[in-house]
């Protein structure tokens, strides 16, 4: 974790567009500290909030017209570029509608270079260039195995000595996600779980959090990067993980789905020898520094047979 001397709970990240190191704003930070850092808070969270009914109820509330007030609060609190969104703010009749908003067609572009892997969404990324059977993917204190993440040690074998990326979304981010390459996608497989927050405070307190949360796993046969396990992880107040694609052939940049209200995470697993992540992402990840990227931004390139392996 990259922390300030004054406050070790401060979370820093690098904005890839500007190169600046920034401090993350955590929504309801004090509440998250109480829920995940105290005994009473943990009891209240697990008894009242950490189950599907609360997520369903919270989602229903965010569909009410009265929830529009939260849109203005979000826009005031976070640097959301209103010029990018599909419609004016007045168009969104409730918070859920704005949370799962689409962007204008030219707001995010995908490279047409077949050798370039593009970011599947907006968020803060960390990459793992080399996975072993013993690898524990660490995200702000949460350590998980690939087998636990997929809920299958057999499926995990395909990614031994492979690579991974984790893209963590914040409440203000664009919450639709896309295919990083063309190819063929199977139907998503859902794994039941809880609804913990995926913000850094919760990740630091709860062991194997990503293995406890509800998630969807899609086997994606990429044209240029081999078999990819494309995983969406739910979080507290996520009403649902919605798939908008049809199983079968898909195009690079095509929308795959979206998260309903709440923080959330994307995880992509790659087979060995298929991708070389960009060096700046590797260096920052090695320093436990996440990097903010945008949908369609280059993350790495295809490993060609004529090229020496970077691992």
């Amino acid at each position: 974790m990259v922390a300030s001397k004054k406050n070790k709970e401060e979370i820093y990240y690098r904005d890839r567009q500007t190169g600046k190191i920034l401090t993350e704003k955590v929504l309801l930070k004090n509440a998250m500290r109480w829920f995940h850092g105290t005994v009473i808070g943990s009891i209240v969270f697990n008894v009242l909030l950490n189950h599907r009914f609360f997520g369903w109820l919270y989602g229903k509330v965010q569909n009410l017209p009265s929830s529009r007030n939260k849109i203005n609060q979000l826009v005031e609190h976070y640097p959301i570029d209103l010029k990018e969104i599909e419609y004016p703010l007045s168009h969104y009749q409730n918070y859920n509608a704005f949370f799962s908003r689409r962007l204008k067609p030219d707001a995010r572009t995908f490279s047409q270079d077949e050798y370039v892997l593009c970011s599947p969404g907006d968020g803060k990324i960390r990459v793992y260039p080399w996975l072993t059977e013993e690898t524990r993917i660490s995200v702000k204190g949460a350590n998980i195995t690939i087998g636990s993440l997929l809920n299958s040690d057999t499926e995990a074998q395909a990614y031994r000595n492979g690579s991974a990326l984790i893209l963590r979304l914040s409440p203000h981010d664009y919450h639709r996600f896309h295919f990083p390459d063309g190819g063929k996608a199977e139907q998503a497989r859902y794994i039941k779980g809880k609804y913990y927050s995926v913000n850094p405070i919760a990740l630091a307190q709860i062991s194997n959090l990503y293995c406890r949360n509800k998630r969807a796993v899609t086997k994606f046969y990429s044209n240029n990067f081999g078999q990819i396990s494309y995983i969406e992880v739910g979080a507290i107040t996520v009403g649902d993980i919605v798939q908008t694609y049809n199983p079968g052939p898909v195009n690079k940049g095509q929308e795959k789905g979206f998260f309903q209200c709440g923080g959330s995470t994307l995880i992509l697993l790659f087979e060995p020898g298929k991708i070389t992540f960009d060096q700046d992402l590797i260096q920052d990840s090695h320093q436990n520094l996440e990097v903010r990227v945008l949908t369609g931004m280059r993350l790495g390139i295809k490993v060609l047979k004529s090229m020496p392996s970077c691992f």
Side-chain angles (χ1 to χ4, degrees):
M1 180 185 295
V2 179
S4 69
K5 295 180 180 179
K6 293 183 179 180
N7 187 350
K8 293 184 178 181
E9 288 188 351
E10 293 293 344
I11 304 299
Y12 288 95
Y13 65 92
R14 180 171 66 88
D15 187 311
R16 205 180 190 198
Q17 286 185 300
T18 65
K20 294 181 178 180
I21 305 297
L22 303 174
T23 304
E24 178 168 350
K25 293 182 178 180
V26 178
L27 196 64
L28 301 177
K29 180 186 289 187
N30 291 332
M32 290 299 104
R33 286 184 185 137
W34 187 69
F35 283 136
H36 302 295
T38 68
V39 174
I40 296 177
S42 180
I43 293 173
V44 171
F45 176 82
N46 284 292
V47 172
L48 299 179
L49 308 183
N50 191 13
H51 45 72
R52 182 173 178 78
F53 175 74
F54 175 76
W56 174 84
L57 179 62
Y58 186 87
K60 290 295 183 183
V61 172
Q62 305 317 309
N63 284 329
L64 297 175
S66 58
S67 67
R68 286 197 76 255
N69 294 331
K70 292 186 62 176
I71 299 177
N72 291 330
Q73 294 174 9
L74 194 70
V75 171
E76 292 174 2
H77 190 72
Y78 290 104
I80 299 175
D81 188 349
L82 299 182
K83 295 179 181 178
E84 292 183 338
I85 65 176
E86 186 177 25
Y87 300 110
L89 279 183
S90 58
H91 171 84
Y92 301 96
Q93 298 304 304
N94 56 64
Y95 184 71
N96 244 340
F98 182 75
F99 186 88
S100 59
R101 62 193 177 276
R102 282 193 168 95
L103 303 181
K104 293 177 180 177
D106 60 348
R108 301 288 185 271
T109 58
F110 284 71
S111 170
Q112 296 307 302
D113 186 336
E114 62 180 350
Y115 296 147
V116 171
L117 181 88
C118 296
S119 177
D122 286 13
K124 299 176 183 71
I125 194 171
R126 184 172 179 179
V127 301
Y128 287 78
W130 181 258
L131 299 174
T132 69
E133 193 172 358
E134 295 76 28
T135 296
R136 300 293 192 273
I137 295 181
S138 177
V139 186
K140 304 303 180 187
N143 297 303
I144 57 178
T145 65
I146 301 303
S148 297
L149 181 65
L150 294 172
N151 200 32
S152 170
D153 289 333
T154 301
E155 287 192 19
Q157 289 301 313
Y159 306 104
R160 184 179 181 184
N161 299 328
S163 310
L165 68 83
I166 297 179
L167 188 68
R168 182 174 60 84
L169 285 67
S170 297
H172 68 285
D173 282 324
Y174 167 61
H175 269 75
R176 291 180 181 260
F177 41 88
H178 301 253
F179 287 101
D181 187 31
K184 182 179 180 180
E186 293 185 354
Q187 187 169 352
R189 170 174 64 94
Y190 284 83
I191 301 173
K192 293 181 180 180
K194 295 295 186 178
Y195 295 86
Y196 291 100
S197 168
V198 294
N199 74 56
I201 295 174
L203 289 167
Q205 296 294 329
I206 302 169
S207 176
N208 295 335
L209 184 149
Y210 286 134
C211 298
R212 299 187 184 191
N213 275 20
K214 175 182 177 180
R215 52 204 185 278
V217 180
T218 302
K219 193 169 289 186
F220 171 44
Y221 300 96
S222 165
N223 289 338
N224 297 286
F225 300 94
Q227 176 183 300
I228 299 173
S229 276
Y230 193 132
I231 306 164
E232 297 102 28
V233 183
I236 185 172
T237 72
V238 172
D240 208 351
I241 302 169
V242 181
Q243 308 291 343
T244 58
Y245 77 100
N246 292 316
V250 296
N251 299 318
K252 187 175 188 177
Q254 177 182 330
E255 182 182 295
K256 183 179 186 295
F258 63 90
F259 291 104
Q260 291 187 328
C261 188
S264 27
T265 298
L266 301 175
I267 302 176
L268 271 61
L269 304 177
F270 300 85
E271 296 174 300
K274 298 299 183 181
I275 182 172
T276 300
F277 289 119
D278 288 346
Q279 195 61 35
D280 67 311
L281 299 180
I282 294 175
Q283 291 176 345
D284 284 342
S285 295
H286 183 69
Q287 297 296 323
N288 294 331
L289 180 67
E290 293 175 309
V291 181
R292 175 165 169 73
V293 297
L294 299 179
T295 304
M297 187 175 286
R298 168 178 158 154
L299 301 180
I301 60 173
K302 177 180 181 178
V303 175
L304 302 177
K305 291 183 179 180
S306 59
M307 296 172 58
S309 172
C310 68
F311 301 137

